[in-house]
């Protein structure tokens, strides 16, 4: 995992070069559309990371073993997923101000993403509010299974309802040029590897914190407290 | 299972009839909302009528929310004893869901007439369809409230956490009930039917998914 960071930095720089310099300006939106590459990268990462959170929640609820270790990843994926959702909303709002003339509209894609943000913010608050570890693990996993309902809805929202949000992946292929697709791909890999790195780091930190907690209790016990 | 659920429901209803801890505060709160709406928005202006469905449903949701949030807190100190009883854990969920449906129905029965009078408007001509929307909408709210109440009751923050857990989930339901009710006031009341479909889907999801997962909550 340590070597992953040596890949992420050059990939980031390459993605920035491709998105900001290499691809040409868009015909009607000009230079402002370039935020699309960041937006697409963080949005795809958000949906993927939250899907991983769902799979981990499934494992916690339906499998008996290794719940503590899995739970570290459940917390880490929810946090990184929320971070990526925040970045998606922020980059989208900046673009919307230029393209649509307003930071926010109640478009289905935007609305479902805002709900997604609140659901996972609630997930993290729920974790925070349960003291007993076993209870926290199972309760947040059950909540994680329920909140995931919104993730496919966010993805399909532009296809189900009439939305003004642009669609990239459609049944008849992709709505972007091959050159744009390369830049999208670079940004996507930069963001998803960055997410993986953050998740690994956060999960390890959780594990270390628990180990420290156990050692402290043992030491206090040895001293007779 | 139905029998045990019936007994738990009967116990909670008896407790409520004797203590009046849920309906009375929630009902009075519902009426206070109507009064505050009257101050915040001038009911004599015609523009208010377009907003009436939204105001009514927000009021009902907020007042119901006070009641459904406490359904699991009734046993806050004796949850262990209830779980030790030799009954299906599903019965507990069914009983609390039934209790919450009853509570919200009573609240809506008080609040709907009060809102129409205080905000100087009338119920839509198709009262039957309106009642169907109300019943389905309240079942959905009670179902989501039961599921989230079960989670929130075990946290340090109890009811403080409930709005954050519950209200984002109810946003599609709110959209459904408000749009359906608005359609009844509009020129094409038949347009309500597709919204009623959305409400029904919400109801089914929030009864079935929590019912399947409830067992796991009682294990820890």
């Amino acid at each position: 995992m340590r070597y992953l960071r040596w890949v992420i930095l050059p990939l980031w720089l390459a993605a920035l070069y491709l998105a900001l310099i290499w691809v040409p300006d868009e015909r009607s939106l000009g230079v402002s559309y370039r935020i699309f590459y960041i937006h697409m990268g963080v949005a795809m990462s958000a949906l993927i990371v939250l899907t991983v959170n769902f799979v981990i929640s499934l494992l916690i609820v339906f499998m008996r073993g290794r719940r503590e270790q899995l739970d570290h990843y459940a917390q880490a994926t929810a946090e990184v997923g929320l971070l990526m959702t925040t970045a998606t909303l922020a980059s989208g709002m900046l673009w919307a101000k230029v393209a649509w003339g307003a930071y926010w509209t109640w478009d289905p894609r935007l609305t479902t993403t805002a709900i997604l943000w609140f659901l996972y913010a609630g997930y993290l608050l729920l974790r925070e509010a349960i003291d007993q570890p076993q209870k926290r693990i199972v309760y947040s996993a059950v909540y994680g299974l329920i909140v995931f309902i919104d993730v496919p809805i966010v993805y399909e929202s532009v296809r189900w309802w009439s939305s003004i949000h642009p669609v990239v992946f459609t049944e008849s292929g992709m709505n972007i040029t091959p050159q744009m697709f390369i830049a999208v791909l670079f940004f996507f890999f930069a963001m998803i590897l960055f997410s993986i790195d953050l998740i690994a780091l956060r999960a390890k930190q959780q594990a270390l914190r628990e180990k420290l907690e156990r050692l402290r209790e043992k030491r206090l016990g040895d001293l007779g407290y | 299972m139905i029998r045990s659920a019936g007994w738990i429901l009967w116990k909670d209803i008896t407790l409520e009839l004797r203590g009046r801890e849920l309906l009375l505060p929630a009902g009075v709160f519902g009426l206070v909302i109507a009064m505050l709406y009257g101050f915040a928005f001038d009911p004599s202006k015609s523009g208010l009528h377009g907003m009436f469905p939204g105001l009514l449903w927000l009021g009902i949701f907020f007042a119901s929310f006070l009641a459904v949030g406490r359904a699991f807190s009734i046993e806050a100190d004796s949850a262990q004893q209830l779980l030790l009883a030799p009954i299906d854990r599903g019965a507990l969920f069914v009983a609390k869901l039934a209790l919450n449906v009853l509570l919200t129905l009573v609240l809506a029965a008080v609040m709907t007439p009060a809102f129409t009078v205080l905000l100087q408007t009338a119920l839509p001509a198709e009262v039957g369809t309106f009642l169907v929307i109300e019943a389905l909408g309240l079942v959905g709210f009670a179902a989501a409230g039961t599921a989230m109440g079960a989670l929130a009751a075990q946290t340090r923050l109890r009811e403080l956490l409930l709005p954050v857990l519950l209200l984002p989930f109810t946003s599609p339901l709110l959209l459904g009930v408000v749009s359906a009710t608005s359609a009844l006031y509009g020129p094409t009341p038949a347009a309500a039917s597709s919204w009623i479909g959305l409400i029904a889907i919400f109801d089914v999801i929030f009864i079935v998914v929590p019912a399947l997962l409830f067992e796991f909550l009682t294990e820890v």
Side-chain angles (χ1 to χ4, degrees), chain B residues 49-163:
Chain B
H49 294 292
M51 285 163 68
F52 179 71
L55 293 175
L56 173 70
W57 277 106
L58 267 184
I60 290 179
F61 272 25
F62 285 148
S64 309
F65 164 76
L66 278 191
V68 300
R70 291 194 56 85
F72 274 97
S73 314
I74 297 173
E75 280 100 8
D77 304 319
S78 51
Q80 206 73 36
Q81 283 87 325
L82 192 59
L83 289 178
L84 282 173
I87 50 166
D88 192 327
R89 265 48 182 305
L92 183 56
F93 183 79
V94 173
K96 294 296 178 184
L97 176 60
L99 175 71
N100 280 339
V101 171
L102 278 178
L103 290 174
T104 51
L105 283 176
V106 174
L107 279 175
V110 175
M111 287 175 70
T112 311
F115 269 60
T116 47
V117 171
L118 290 174
L119 298 179
Q120 299 176 0
T121 179
L123 286 183
E126 288 169 50
V127 179
T129 321
F130 177 72
L131 290 180
V132 170
I133 296 170
E134 256 198 342
L136 284 175
L138 291 172
V139 168
F141 191 85
T146 310
M148 297 305 144
L151 289 171
Q154 295 297 321
T155 66
R156 217 174 335 109
L157 304 171
R158 294 258 173 95
E159 286 89 26
L160 261 183
L161 194 62
L162 193 60

